[in-house]
Amino acid sequence: MNQPSSVAEANPLRAYLPRTVAPEPCAVVLFGATGDLTHRKLAPALMRLAVEGQMPSEYAIVGFARRDWDDQQFRSELHNTLKDAKIPDFDQTWPTFAEHVLFCPGTFDDPQAYARLKQILERADQSLGTRGNRLYYLAVAPDFFPTIVEHLGQAGLIYPHHQDAPWSRVVVEKPFGHDLASARQLNRELSRVLSESQTYRIDHYLGKETVQNILALRFANAIFEPIWNRRHVDGVQITVAEEVGMPGGRGAYYDSAGALRDMVQNHMMQLLCLVAMEPPVNLSADAVRNEKVKVLQALPRWTTEQVLANVVKGQYGPGSIQGKPLAGYRQEKGVAPDSKTDTFVALRFTLETWRWAGVPFFLRTGKRLPKRATEIAIQFKKPPTFHFEPDDASLAGANHLVLRIQPNEGASLAFQAKVPGSRRRLQEVRMEFRYGNAFASPPPEAYERLLLDVMLGDPTLFTRIDEVDSAWQFITPILEAWQETRLEPAFYEAGTWGPPEADQLIARDGMRWRRL
Ligand code: BG6
């Protein structure tokens, strides 16, 4: 087979697209190639990278799955998915991209399938120039992680990293364990074959441009750092609200996970780290992660009583969003009719560090809330005296810095301005940064950035094992307290902002949840 020309060459837009350091040639092996994640996120991200000229000059994409398909069948499956993925110049670029796509049929526990994979990869080294470098992406249920990694090891498909020798890296999707003990067990199993530097635990929130921007805002500007502490901050609210319920038969997975494991242990802990961490000594992977892990280590390790006082567990009942009637969680497909699973969680805690001691952090996340909105709000202290008439007496001059992660990506600083006229009446006004206005292009998809980083061997935006461990040390006592007390969730109507208990939680500190 002739070496295919690059997809980027076929793309007239390439000259306008940003270029980064090119990754080395490699083969990307997708375990779970016929699954939802591959279709929704991974395949579109890989093709976009190719169209943007950011894939290596030589690459292969090898699907691994149970179906008895050949390369052509896998290509036509991907074609069906990608044609609707709004990829620029799709018709023009697809034929070249398709030449890089291969398929390996097999089950995850069959040694022969790995022998077949090895042959396919070695052939790709010859025909597509992938030079022995391998990225294995485990887009499969976590139960399969140890099996796949062990077989890859036995088949000689994982090799220790040596300078200038071919590399092999494994991307592991969440959830990484379902509590502290299982996360440690999983890590022990994986580390029999993989070193930490070969293990890329993905948290797609870290790939979001607006999440990375938190570091830029905090550490590339001198005005925020002096006030980013207990002397000036009254409280921090982090909200990850979702309108969706249980789409596409997700109920069965979710019912064994719940919001605390699905969103708080990973995505929300990462947001917390970036907001609360100390400045890193540089932006290298370990310097950044060293500071993040200290935040997680400063989280409380709660007793059962403390859990019950500081965490609200909620579950949606029937309701409606924008006039559309919606089923309650217990009526969703795959969900037990008497399920106690949390579809909403609100937490209040403090970080006992010199920077943050005493400052309450409030986290809330939920399914079937009125809208999709992720934001971090820093509420600054009120002025020591106040001689004006605020439009909202409860805030009376508190400034807010809001980082909007999604949608309407950007940031705003709310402050008081005098309403024109003879009275001393005030109104809250905002200074706005909107991503869409400030930069010509919308933020790229998180998976594009993260896949590129694995190919480049940059683990900065991936979760290190001590981060996972420390996050579970905080989360596990909550799960255990719920289990021990057989805690029933507090119900909220689908389409509302969670149960009243969440409002009571924040009201204890004289605050209230932001209206989004
Ligand atoms: C996933 C969770 O990790 O993140 C889902 O499993 C959730 O339940 C999703 O819907 C949210 O991601 P995003 O990027 O849409 O905010």
Side-chain angles (χ1 to χ4, degrees):
M1 188 170 151
N2 287 339
Q3 194 99 336
S5 58
S6 88
V7 174
E9 276 167 31
N11 172 27
L13 283 177
R14 73 185 194 282
Y16 306 102
L17 294 164
R19 286 209 159 249
T20 53
V21 186
E24 292 174 51
C26 70
V28 177
V29 182
L30 302 174
F31 285 91
T34 54
D36 180 57
L37 186 70
T38 300
H39 283 90
R40 263 187 325 110
K41 298 288 186 188
L42 303 179
L46 287 165
M47 186 160 179
R48 278 208 188 88
L49 286 172
V51 168
E52 290 162 8
Q54 302 207 61
M55 282 297 274
S57 52
E58 283 93 24
Y59 66 93
I61 294 168
V62 185
F64 185 110
R66 206 171 312 160
R67 309 274 163 89
D68 199 15
W69 284 349
D70 60 15
D71 295 346
Q72 279 313 335
Q73 281 165 301
F74 184 48
R75 285 173 192 169
S76 70
E77 173 84 2
L78 284 191
H79 182 270
N80 282 343
T81 304
L82 293 171
K83 71 181 182 345
D84 300 324
K86 300 200 180 98
I87 291 168
D89 300 305
F90 176 76
D91 291 335
Q92 207 179 333
T93 48
W94 166 257
T96 317
F97 182 75
E99 284 180 56
H100 297 75
V101 174
L102 308 169
F103 190 72
C104 177
T107 52
F108 300 143
D109 56 357
D110 175 12
Q112 284 178 3
Y114 293 84
R116 214 161 30 241
L117 177 63
K118 192 170 187 189
Q119 281 176 1
I120 291 172
L121 289 171
E122 283 167 1
R123 278 206 301 272
D125 287 341
Q126 300 305 315
S127 61
L128 294 168
T130 46
R131 298 194 213 165
N133 295 321
R134 317 284 187 234
L135 185 169
Y136 304 105
Y137 199 115
L138 309 193
V140 299
D143 295 351
F144 294 117
F145 296 165
T147 312
I148 295 174
V149 167
E150 197 185 315
H151 281 286
L152 285 172
Q154 280 167 5
L157 288 165
I158 305 276
Y159 16 85
H161 179 69
H162 294 299
Q163 199 76 33
D164 301 327
W167 50 259
S168 49
R169 301 175 186 139
V170 175
V171 182
V172 187
E173 266 289 335
K174 69 174 246 287
F176 198 85
H178 52 89
D179 58 12
L180 181 60
S182 59
R184 285 183 174 169
Q185 171 67 19
L186 176 57
N187 194 51
R188 270 194 297 277
E189 287 169 351
L190 298 190
S191 62
R192 283 205 279 269
V193 180
L194 298 172
S195 66
E196 176 64 20
S197 68
Q198 291 175 303
T199 313
Y200 287 71
R201 294 176 204 83
I202 202 160
D203 182 316
H204 78 279
Y205 266 57
L206 289 177
K208 290 180 193 275
E209 198 62 39
T210 39
V211 172
Q212 294 163 47
N213 216 10
I214 300 171
L215 285 186
L217 178 112
R218 289 194 55 200
F219 304 130
N221 297 289
I223 60 169
F224 297 115
E225 198 46 25
I227 54 170
W228 210 264
N229 55 48
R230 57 194 295 272
R231 279 183 296 285
H232 299 277
V233 175
D234 235 4
V236 178
Q237 287 187 33
I238 305 181
T239 301
V240 181
E242 292 188 283
E243 210 179 304
V244 289
M246 296 295 122
R250 236 181 146 234
Y253 150 75
Y254 195 86
D255 209 32
S256 65
L260 193 66
R261 289 191 179 98
D262 187 53
M263 296 297 285
V264 182
Q265 190 273 343
N266 34 68
H267 307 323
M268 296 192 84
M269 286 293 117
Q270 290 296 335
L271 297 180
L272 169 73
C273 286
L274 295 172
V275 170
M277 68 194 263
E278 295 298 319
V281 288
N282 56 46
L283 290 182
S284 71
D286 274 331
V288 172
R289 297 186 299 176
N290 288 346
E291 296 308 330
K292 279 167 55 191
V293 79
K294 288 182 202 164
V295 175
L296 298 168
Q297 287 164 349
L299 282 162
R301 309 291 183 242
W302 279 325
T303 62
T304 299
E305 290 67 36
Q306 288 170 321
V307 168
L308 297 179
N310 291 299
V311 186
V312 173
K313 171 185 181 182
Q315 188 187 88
Y316 63 86
S320 66
I321 296 181
Q322 286 167 5
K324 194 173 152 239
L326 297 165
Y329 176 69
R330 290 180 176 180
Q331 288 85 54
E332 301 273 16
K333 196 164 157 248
V335 172
D338 57 350
S339 170
K340 292 186 172 47
T341 297
D342 46 311
T343 63
F344 175 98
V345 195
L347 307 97
R348 180 217 184 266
F349 55 80
T350 56
L351 295 170
E352 292 311 310
T353 63
W354 274 54
R355 184 187 287 269
W356 293 117
V359 177
F361 282 76
F362 301 98
L363 270 50
R364 67 174 161 167
T365 184
K367 301 277 185 198
R368 287 286 189 233
L369 300 187
K371 55 157 113 157
R372 177 173 184 254
T374 298
E375 65 153 56
I376 299 166
I378 318 289
Q379 182 173 321
F380 292 95
K381 288 194 192 295
K382 295 172 191 169
T385 58
F386 203 76
H387 304 300
F388 295 88
E389 300 164 35
D391 61 343
D392 181 343
S394 69
L395 293 178
N399 298 111
H400 286 84
L401 178 66
V402 177
L403 313 178
R404 288 189 308 274
I405 306 298
Q406 63 193 21
N408 308 322
E409 290 82 355
S412 68
L413 178 66
F415 59 95
Q416 302 290 325
K418 183 177 162 303
V419 178
S422 57
R423 290 173 57 191
R424 289 178 189 157
R425 209 152 63 78
L426 298 180
Q427 186 179 315
E428 191 179 91
V429 294
R430 286 173 191 197
M431 285 200 288
E432 280 281 350
F433 150 55
R434 284 179 195 277
Y435 233 93
N437 296 349
F439 302 110
S441 53
E445 262 285 315
Y447 277 92
E448 270 182 62
R449 167 67 197 261
L450 294 172
L451 280 162
L452 185 61
D453 280 1
V454 188
M455 289 189 270
L456 288 165
D458 181 352
T460 313
L461 300 179
F462 294 81
T463 318
R464 209 169 58 184
I465 187 59
D466 50 351
E467 291 178 74
V468 177
D469 198 275
S470 304
W472 278 124
Q473 286 185 46
F474 171 61
I475 297 292
T476 303
I478 305 175
L479 294 167
E480 286 171 353
W482 287 354
Q483 179 80 23
E484 186 189 314
T485 57
R486 298 176 181 280
L487 189 70
E488 285 289 338
F491 290 97
Y492 60 100
E493 245 178 68
T496 63
W497 284 103
E501 286 81 347
D503 299 325
Q504 291 152 17
L505 179 78
I506 193 166
R508 287 203 320 244
D509 288 274
M511 293 183 197
R512 61 168 193 240
W513 295 106
R514 285 172 44 76
R515 292 191 203 106
L516 305 182

